[in-house]
Amino acid sequence: MTKLTKRAFLAGSAAAGTMLAMPTVLRAQATVMRWGEMLPTTHPQVQMVERIAKEVKEKTAGRIDIQSFPAGQLGSGKDMMESVASGALTMTTDGAAALGSFLPQLSVIEAPYLWRDPGHMAKVAKAPVFAQMNDELVKKRGMRMAAVTYYGKRHLTTGSKPVKSAADVAGLKLRVPPVDTFRAMVEAWGAKATPVNFNELYLALSQGAVDGQENPLPTIHSAKLQEVQKHLILTGHIITPRLIVINQDFWKGLKDADRTILEAAIANGVAWQDAELASQEGSLVATLKAAGMSVTEPDLESFSKPVLASLPKQFESKWGKGTWDALAAL
């Protein structure tokens, strides 16, 4: 992990963008790749970046040096995606719904109650509709999706109120990422959707600015949200992909051999991370319970029914007619 302040990063953005545009043969010494992350260093996603960096450095004999900047050092997720698009940052990883602010139809990949299981979700990476979206992202925003990773099954937590059905969250202020599909989901439950950036979430929960939040178990645990939340409600409302995105000009500027090495390292890192997350999900309910959280298996239909009755139709024009059905049928 490399430490860099947001101010220093922004100050050097113009220079970094210039470096990314230069042909590989003109760069002095190692080609430096900056990879920004919102997640803490203890999360498998950040550990995946470190593993990819190690493999790439070894297999290129040090020609390519991937530097990791976790825990929101370089700003919000949107800040980092903007920086990847401009060339000031080489890579980042974020949710499909968040990337929807750059390409609206992408948010369907992180839609609630779409995927049956992680294996079903993984099929999207080979689907024609995904290739089409990737081509559009390259064309319109100058960045491409290099891989789809498994981020986990999202569950609800609350600070003081136990929840057995969606009726119990009516009126609660629930933190959501700043994306419209998440807001619509929470509002369908009758709760008050409150967008908060992830690196501000712990403080918002501890101060009571929001009553609860939703995230996968490894994220809840790695961010220590069990310290400021009392109840874990196993809603499993979204099986979440996170997408590795890379600046297109940098990607094209790599030598074929180095691009092949990077692709292989990403594939290996993703396979490790996905397996690690699945393993953690299998034990973290007990871990969080031992840490003092109450665990509830709620009425799942009360959560899914209002969402499925409204969101596919509400977002059809954004996602594209028939896209939801095509992905569900994969």
Side-chain angles (χ1 to χ4, degrees):
M1 179 189 72
T2 303
K3 291 185 178 180
L4 180 68
T5 65
K6 183 180 178 184
R7 177 179 295 178
F9 169 68
L10 293 175
S13 290
T18 301
M19 284 295 292
L20 288 176
M22 292 173 63
T24 303
V25 294
L26 296 181
R27 296 177 193 140
Q29 300 178 347
T31 296
V32 175
M33 299 175 62
R34 293 175 172 177
W35 189 328
E37 275 283 351
M38 282 300 299
L39 298 169
T41 56
T42 53
H43 193 280
Q45 189 103 85
V46 176
Q47 295 166 2
M48 173 195 75
V49 176
E50 297 289 347
R51 293 173 75 96
I52 293 170
K54 184 174 184 290
E55 181 174 336
V56 167
K57 192 167 188 176
E58 289 176 352
K59 291 188 176 179
T60 63
R63 288 193 312 277
I64 298 178
D65 180 19
I66 299 176
Q67 297 178 355
S68 170
F69 301 92
Q73 289 181 51
L74 305 183
S76 68
K78 187 173 183 180
D79 290 337
M80 288 188 281
M81 286 187 287
E82 289 278 12
S83 293
V84 171
S86 71
L89 185 65
T90 320
M91 302 178 74
T92 190
T93 318
D94 215 321
L99 266 168
S101 63
F102 296 85
L103 189 71
Q105 57 265 45
L106 263 173
S107 64
V108 69
I109 298 173
E110 199 174 352
Y113 305 108
L114 173 61
W115 307 116
R116 295 183 296 274
D117 52 44
H120 182 209
M121 184 273 290
K123 290 181 180 179
V124 71
K126 297 181 179 179
V129 66
F130 183 80
Q132 292 167 9
M133 290 178 185
N134 214 355
D135 289 343
E136 285 293 302
L137 189 64
V138 169
K139 180 180 177 181
K140 294 181 178 180
R141 298 312 304 253
M143 54 185 172
R144 71 165 49 248
M145 297 175 286
V148 178
T149 74
Y150 175 59
Y151 188 53
K153 193 178 288 188
R154 300 180 83 98
H155 301 288
L156 182 66
T157 70
T158 60
S160 59
K161 186 176 181 180
V163 171
K164 294 183 179 180
S165 72
D168 294 327
V169 302
L172 289 184
K173 291 182 292 183
L174 296 182
R175 177 268 175 181
V176 293
V179 292
D180 54 4
T181 48
F182 279 73
R183 287 194 292 267
M185 174 188 70
V186 166
E187 288 166 359
W189 294 339
K192 297 177 181 178
T194 309
V196 176
N197 285 325
F198 183 78
N199 55 346
E200 300 168 350
L201 177 56
Y202 185 100
L203 184 62
L205 292 168
S206 66
Q207 293 182 341
V210 288
D211 301 308
Q213 63 87 51
E214 52 76 56
N215 258 306
L217 297 176
T219 305
I220 293 168
H221 184 252
S222 64
K224 301 182 180 180
L225 300 187
Q226 67 272 17
E227 297 176 353
V228 288
Q229 293 280 269
K230 183 177 180 181
H231 302 285
L232 171 62
I233 303 97
L234 300 176
T235 48
H237 48 274
I238 299 176
I239 294 176
T240 303
R242 275 173 70 90
L243 306 171
I244 297 174
V245 293
I246 184 168
N247 177 270
Q248 174 66 5
D249 285 342
F250 182 91
W251 181 258
K252 289 194 304 181
L254 285 171
K255 293 180 179 178
D256 289 346
D258 287 343
R259 190 184 304 114
T260 298
I261 288 170
L262 179 58
E263 287 178 321
I266 289 173
N268 291 336
V270 168
W272 174 85
Q273 191 253 203
D274 289 1
E276 177 64 19
L277 271 173
S279 175
Q280 287 192 16
E281 284 185 310
S283 61
L284 276 174
V285 170
T287 300
L288 293 170
K289 189 173 183 179
M293 297 190 83
S294 70
V295 179
T296 302
E297 295 185 9
D299 173 6
L300 296 180
E301 187 178 5
S302 73
F303 285 93
S304 64
K305 190 173 181 180
V307 173
L308 290 172
S310 60
L311 262 69
K313 187 66 176 177
Q314 180 181 346
F315 288 95
E316 183 178 58
S317 61
K318 177 178 179 177
W319 294 338
K321 188 174 178 62
T323 301
W324 170 284
D325 293 334
L327 292 175
L330 285 176

